[in-house]
Amino acid sequence: MEKSYPFDKIEPKWQEYWSKKKLFKADIKDFEKKFYCLVMFPYPSAALHVGHGRNYIIGDVVARYKKMRGFNVLTPMGWDAFGLPAENAAIKNKTHPKKYTLANIKRMKEQLKSWGVCYDWSCEVASCLADYYKWTQWIFLKLLEKGLAYRKKAFVNWCSSCNTVLANEQVIEGKCERCETAVSQKDLEQWFFRITDYAERLLGDLKSLENWPERVKIMQANWIGRSEGVRIYFPVVGSEETLACFTTRVDTIFGATYMVIAPEHPHLEELLDGVKEKSKIMVAVEKMRTESKIMRVQADAEKVGIFTGRYAINPVTKRKIPLWVANYVLMEYGTGAVMAVPAHDQRDYEFAAKYKLPIETVIQKSEVRGQRSEEPGKAYEDDGIMVNSAQFDGLENREAIGKITDWMEEKKIGKKATEYKLRDWLISRQRYWGAPIPVVYCEKCGIVAVPEKDLPVILPEDVKFGAPALGRSALGGKGESPLKTSKKFVDTKCPKCKAEARREIDTMDTFVDSSWYFLRYISAKLENKPFEKEDVDRWLPVDQYIGGVEHAILHLLYSRFIVKVLNEMGLIGFDEPFKNLFTQGMIIKNGAKMSKSKGNTVSPDELIKKFGADTIRLYTLFIGPPEKDAEWSDRGVEGAYRFLGRVWRMAKQTTDDRRQTTDEERGTVNDEKLKRKTHQTIKKVTDDIEKGFHFNTSISAIMELVNEVYLAEDKKSSSRETIEQAVKTVIVLLSPLVPHICEELWEKLGGKESILKKEWPSYDAKLVLAENITLPVQINGKLRSKMEIPRGLVAEELKEKILADEKIKSHLAGRDIKKWIVVPDKLVNIVLS
RNA sequence: GCGCGGGUGGCGGAAUUGGUAUACGCGCAUGCUUGAGGAGCAUGUUCCGAGAGGAUUGCGAGUUCGAGUCUCGCCCCGCGCACCA
C-alpha cells in the first residue's frame, strides 16, 4: 500500500524528541497542580499484543491531555516482575527467571516506545530487583510487628500442578486461576495477612470512592460479603460441648430439625468420643476432607452426609435434633456448623429429603393462611407469617427476626453477630521466583523476624527449581519451596541468640509486591526508606488509575488493605490509594480474549510498520466505548489510517495555500458555520474526555469537523483564516490521541515547540449554539414538516410562521387546534381535537 | 440461584432532562481518476415501496401530545459471585 503520509519518518523523530527533551519528567517537589496518572504495571511476559496496548494508550492520552491542561503530570511505569509464568518459562527454556524477565522488560520497553507511549522512566521499578523487594520484605515486617502477619496451620488450597498453595482469591470455581487444575485441600503451616480485621473498613470506605466503576465496588462488596445474623449455641447431648452456629434467619429457628457440621470442624473428633461407630465415621469424614474443592464447592454437587450418633438440643424448642457431618458445610465461613431448617432452606431441604430427616414448616405465605406454602420438592425461602413458633406465631417473619434475636440474647442462648465471606490473605508460596519471606526459625527463639538492617533477604541464585506441571519436579511435588535446595540460603544464624537457625523458604505471593508499587514510584531511587512520607502524602491518592477489570478484586482490594495498614501505622497520611479508577474492556479477536495460547493475538510491531503507531492508537481508541470489550478488526485499522491521511492532506492544503482571503471572496463566505462547528467540536471533545474517556465519540466529532473543513475548502464557503483555525483545532484536539502526526503538522503550521506545551483550547459558549435550527413540526405527534427558523423565536412569532407553512396548512385543513406544545428550540407539536 | 451490564442497520457503534432514531466509522453500490491494481475523490446506503407513503430500537402491554430513553410482564446474550447457612 502506498503511504498516504510519511509516518515511518515522523514517528521515530518525535519519539526521540520527547525523550531527549524529557517532556514527561515530573518534578516530585512541585505538587501544586499535580496529577498522578497511573496504569497498572504489566507482568513482563513474552511480547505485548494490541490488546495490552489499550491500557497504555488510554493512560498516555490522559497524561498528554492533563499536561495540556497545565498539570504537572506524573506518569511512571514499572514491572510486576515476580511470578510463576517467568519461573515456568525459564524452566522450559533452560534459563534463569531473572534473565528471562529482564530480557522481556527490555523488549516491552521498546514496544511501548514504538507506540508513542511516554513515561517518566526515572522512577521505573521492577519488583524482582533487590532494591524493590527489600521494601516488600520491610512491609511484611511491619505487618508482623503489628500482629497482622501470622502463621497458622490450616486447610489450604493446593494446586498440584503449580506445586504451591493459592489464596482464596486465586481459586476460581474450585480450579487454579492459572492452570485450571482442580484445587485440593492440604493441611499446611502458612503465612497469612489479617485482612479480615479490615473487612469493615474495606467495605465501608467503598462509599467514599465516588469515581470508581459501580460494578467494581459491587464486586468488592460481594467479596467481603458482610451479613448480619445471630450466633446460636446448641448444647450437645451427652457431651460438654456446645456447638455454635451462625444464621441470618433466626426467624426459622423453631424449624431447625437437625444440625450439620463441616468435616473439618476442630471439635468433631472429641464429639465422636464414646460413639460406637467412631472409626467408621472418621473414614467417611476423611474422604470428605480430601475431596477436591471442585467437587464440594458447586451448588449442584451431590450432598453427602453421615450421622454422628450424637444429638444437639434446639435451644428454643428443647427438642433433640440429630447431628450430622456433611460436605455442604464450609469450615471457612461462620462457625463451620449450621442449624438446618429444611422447610425454609433449599440445601437443607435436599439433604433432609435424601436422609429422611424431619421437615417442619414455621413460615407460611401470608395470603394463604393454613395452607402448605411450599411447592413440592422445594423449600419455602420467601417471607411470610410465623407458625409453630410459640409466642412468635402470627408475626411477619421480618419483624420476628428482631424480636427473636432480642429474646435469645436475653435468655443467653444466642448473640447478634456479623460474618464476612472475606478470609485472611494467604501469602506463602512454595515457589522460587518471589520475594523471600524475611523470617528465621530458631530452635530456641522460635519465629524470629529478620532485623530491618539485614534486609534485603536476597533471593539465592544457586537453586534447583522445577515445576511438576512440566513433569520435572525437583521435589516430587511435596509442597516445599525450591529455596530449600540452597544450603547457603537456608542455613543461617538466629538474629536474636546467634545459634544455628534456618530461614523461611517460602516466598511471598506476587500480589504483595503489587500492593504498594504506586508508593515506590514517588521515591523510586531512595535507599534508606521505602518512600518519602512527605512526598507520597502530597502525590497520593492516585488521581487516575487505569487498568483491566480482571483486577477488580485481588489487586485493588490488597492495595487498599496495605494502604490502610500503613496509614494506621502513621507511615502515610491517606487511607485509600486510588481516588479515580477506570477499568478498560478487553480486546477480543474471533470471539475470544487475545492470548498467545489461543493463537489469536495481533502483533503491534507489524501493524506499526505498515500503518504507523498513530493509526493503531487511533483505531484502539475509536473501536468502541473504552470500558467495554471490543472486537479487533483489521478493516477498522485501515479506516483509521485513511482518516489520518485525510488529516495530513487537509493540513498540507492549508500550509500550501497561505494567501489572505480577498475582500471580494469575503463577501461570499459564511464563516459562522465553520466557526460554530469548530467550537462545538472543542466542547464535545473536552466534555467526552472529562466525563468518562469517551474517546470514540470524541474522534467521531473530530471526523465531522474534518469533513466540514473539506466541504468549506471545496465550496469556498469559508475564509482562509477560519479554515486555518479549524485545521489547527483539529490538530490540537487530536494531539493526545495521535501525537506524532500532530507534532509534525503543528511544526509545519509554525508551532515553535512541542504541541504538548500548547494550552488545551477553550470554546466560546455562544458559538456552540447554532443560529438557525431545523424545527420539526408535528401534528398529533406525527412529523408533518421541518422548518428552518432562527433560534429563540418567541412563541407568537413562531406560531404565526408555522401556520403560514404550506405543508402544515394542508394538514390542518381548517380543523380546530386544541393545544400547542412548544419545546423551545427543539420542536413544536400541534394537538388537534 | 443471586447481583451487575446489555439487546438499535450487513458490521463496530451514536443519541443531555422523554423531543428529527440510525451521528461517526467499516462494508457495499455507482461514478470520476488511473495502462491495470491499489490509493484518492464524489454520490448513495435502516427496511418495504417505482413513487407518494408506510414500518422500525429483543417481544408484549402501559403512561404521555410525543418513548431507544419511564413503568409492568416476558425472552435472549455477556460478566461477576455462587452449597456463605
Side-chain angles (χ1 to χ4, degrees), chain A residues 5 10 14 644 647-652 655 658 727 731 734 739-751 755:
Chain A
Y5 76 98
I10 66 180
W14 289 102
L644 291 181
V647 171
W648 181 266
R649 286 191 302 276
M650 170 186 81
K652 204 164 173 303
T655 48
R658 276 248 152 116
V727 169
I731 292 165
L734 272 178
H740 312 87
I741 187 176
C742 291
E743 287 275 24
E744 183 70 20
L745 293 175
W746 189 246
E747 192 185 56
K748 280 195 160 50
L749 283 166
I755 199 163

Side-chain angles (χ1 to χ4, degrees), chain A residues 404-416:
Chain A
I404 296 179
T405 306
D406 293 346
W407 174 70
M408 289 179 92
E409 284 204 316
E410 202 178 294
K411 297 198 73 183
K412 300 214 177 352
I413 50 180
K415 219 178 152 185
K416 255 189 206 159

